[in-house]
Amino acid sequence: MTTAISISTEARHDGLVLGISAETAGNRLVDLGKEQGEFIRERITEHGAVVLSGFDWQEWPELDTFVNAVVGRPLDYTERSSPRTELHPGVFTATDHPATEEIFLHTEQSYNLNVPRYLFFFCRQESPDGGASLLADCRALYGALPQETAERFEREGYLLVRNFRPGLGLSWQEAFGTSDPDEVQAYCDANNIELEWLERNHLRTRQLRWAVATHPETGVRSWFNHMTFFHARTLREDVADFLLEEYGPWGMPTNTFYADGSEIPDEVVRQLQAAYRAQQIDVNVHTGEVLIVDNISVAHGRAPFVPPRDLFVSMAGAHAWSELRPVERVSAPAVALPTAPQ
């Protein structure tokens, strides 16, 4: 006979994060999911993020079972922008990014037409120094932006340009999960992405995307995009200067523009970066803990750290962008895609 798991809760960071802790030892994470899945899901929506502490888990299939119990089947990692290793269906390593570098705040896969609602971060080993998870409330961020900036991007969206070249970032094969150009073409056709083969192994893609989303449950609008994260000026300054000089704004591995293809001024990018920073909180996720984020409400990132640090990620709860734009009911801005300046 099993007994109910006894838990306690604590609001943290002005309520953006809810801590949910086991009051006794020996409780399994999979059992928590079965017993308290609905409660956890409701708290994620209410607060934006939760941290689970004191629940035992060991193997990757347990993580899959837990995610299924709370929010449904984990999602695949499509249209990739960073290297990850799939450890079990729907369970991936965290972004393989140098430990000495920060990962700037962003909302996961917001440049896809179908985006994950929930992000699960399972900490198997915390760093001995650094490595905090950075979170920012995108609802508050949107409300704090200068009206002119917010209104233009909400109305028009933004343009994302990606260039795939050998030896510079992800290859197109890694990003699209295939070595068949016809499959890449089919994916792009189905996902409002225009592609252009500039050389045999140099692929450029262009896609217009919305910048502001309406939460499907709460109806609250949030700043939900990859515009700042992918902009050239969010790279380290020396790296950005080199790449811009070598390849130009339209030749960068990733860069973002106004919807008409014109460059976003550096001062606007700095304004957006400062808005994220103003909302940023540092959440230390300890060994054995699980951080769950409502991806539409809360951006995430990572502070630099001293290895080792071992974190696994699952994504779940897909929403089409058309669901997040209740007025237009379309997944991407319906305007002609601009081309590179000659």
Side-chain angles (χ1 to χ4, degrees):
M1 179 177 176
T2 60
T3 57
I5 297 174
S6 181
I7 61 175
S8 60
T9 62
E10 176 193 14
R12 306 170 187 171
H13 299 287
D14 295 324
L16 184 63
V17 180
L18 182 71
I20 300 177
S21 303
E23 293 193 323
T24 57
N27 294 291
R28 299 172 65 227
L29 184 67
V30 292
D31 294 331
L32 176 71
K34 293 173 185 175
E35 291 187 18
Q36 300 285 354
E38 183 178 1
F39 173 80
I40 294 170
R41 189 169 60 252
E42 290 174 349
R43 299 293 81 75
I44 297 167
T45 300
E46 178 184 356
H47 292 268
V50 304
V51 174
L52 308 178
S53 306
F55 303 98
D56 297 336
W57 54 274
Q58 297 293 329
E59 303 298 332
W60 299 316
E62 294 179 78
L63 308 185
D64 175 66
T65 300
F66 173 72
V67 173
N68 266 285
V70 177
V71 297
R73 185 175 64 84
L75 304 174
D76 195 8
Y77 180 37
T78 59
E79 205 177 321
R80 301 185 177 198
S81 63
S82 59
R84 289 181 181 171
T85 302
E86 188 167 20
L87 305 170
H88 179 81
V91 181
F92 301 85
T93 57
T95 299
D96 297 328
H97 191 72
T100 56
E101 300 286 338
E102 177 192 58
I103 299 177
F104 192 79
L105 288 155
H106 60 287
T107 42
E108 193 68 30
Q109 292 189 281
S110 53
Y111 56 93
N112 287 20
L113 290 192
N114 294 284
V115 302
R117 166 77 182 279
Y118 304 99
L119 308 177
F120 292 73
F121 299 93
F122 303 94
C123 183
R124 183 159 72 177
Q125 183 176 5
E126 64 187 284
S127 167
D129 185 19
S133 293
L134 312 178
L135 301 183
D137 189 333
C138 292
R139 301 158 295 189
L141 190 161
Y142 170 71
L145 287 173
Q147 185 175 4
E148 182 180 0
T149 298
E151 286 183 351
R152 176 168 184 177
F153 285 118
E154 177 169 12
R155 181 178 65 252
E156 299 177 0
Y158 70 102
L159 174 68
L160 167 61
V161 177
R162 302 181 70 181
N163 286 273
F164 302 94
R165 293 184 179 88
L168 188 64
L170 288 185
S171 67
W172 61 265
Q173 293 92 335
E174 292 170 311
F176 292 99
T178 180
S179 58
D180 185 347
D182 290 338
E183 291 185 11
V184 176
Q185 182 73 62
Y187 179 89
C188 291
D189 289 345
N191 287 273
N192 287 30
I193 301 172
E194 289 199 4
L195 58 77
E196 179 182 10
W197 293 98
L198 300 178
E199 296 176 7
R200 182 174 177 274
N201 230 9
H202 177 188
L203 171 65
R204 174 180 291 163
T205 62
R206 295 171 291 138
Q207 56 209 85
L208 283 167
R209 294 297 184 254
W210 296 115
V212 178
T214 298
H215 196 283
E217 285 193 57
T218 67
V220 176
R221 287 187 293 180
S222 66
W223 188 248
F224 185 67
N225 58 75
H226 259 69
M227 182 166 43
T228 308
F229 182 83
F230 276 153
H231 194 275
R233 285 301 173 190
T234 300
L235 292 170
R236 203 175 66 219
E237 185 175 7
D238 60 331
V239 175
D241 288 343
F242 170 79
L243 291 174
L244 285 167
E245 182 176 350
E246 187 75 14
Y247 300 108
W250 277 72
M252 300 279 293
T254 59
N255 203 1
T256 54
F257 303 83
Y258 284 122
D260 63 7
S262 60
E263 292 188 48
I264 303 171
D266 287 355
E267 58 267 26
V268 173
V269 178
R270 288 192 293 268
Q271 183 184 82
L272 295 172
Q273 292 167 341
Y276 279 101
R277 296 296 189 198
Q279 299 299 328
Q280 178 180 308
I281 61 172
D282 294 5
V283 178
N284 291 305
V285 183
H286 302 293
T287 299
E289 292 185 332
V290 181
L291 168 65
I292 313 174
V293 174
D294 186 327
N295 186 43
I296 297 171
S297 298
V298 177
H300 68 282
R302 189 211 69 197
F305 66 93
V306 174
R309 178 179 182 267
D310 210 2
L311 200 73
F312 308 137
V313 180
S314 281
M315 300 170 277
H319 285 277
W321 255 106
S322 57
E323 300 173 55
L324 309 181
R325 299 289 297 192
V327 175
E328 299 88 355
R329 282 295 183 187
V330 294
S331 290
V335 297
L337 276 164
T339 56
Q342 299 300 314

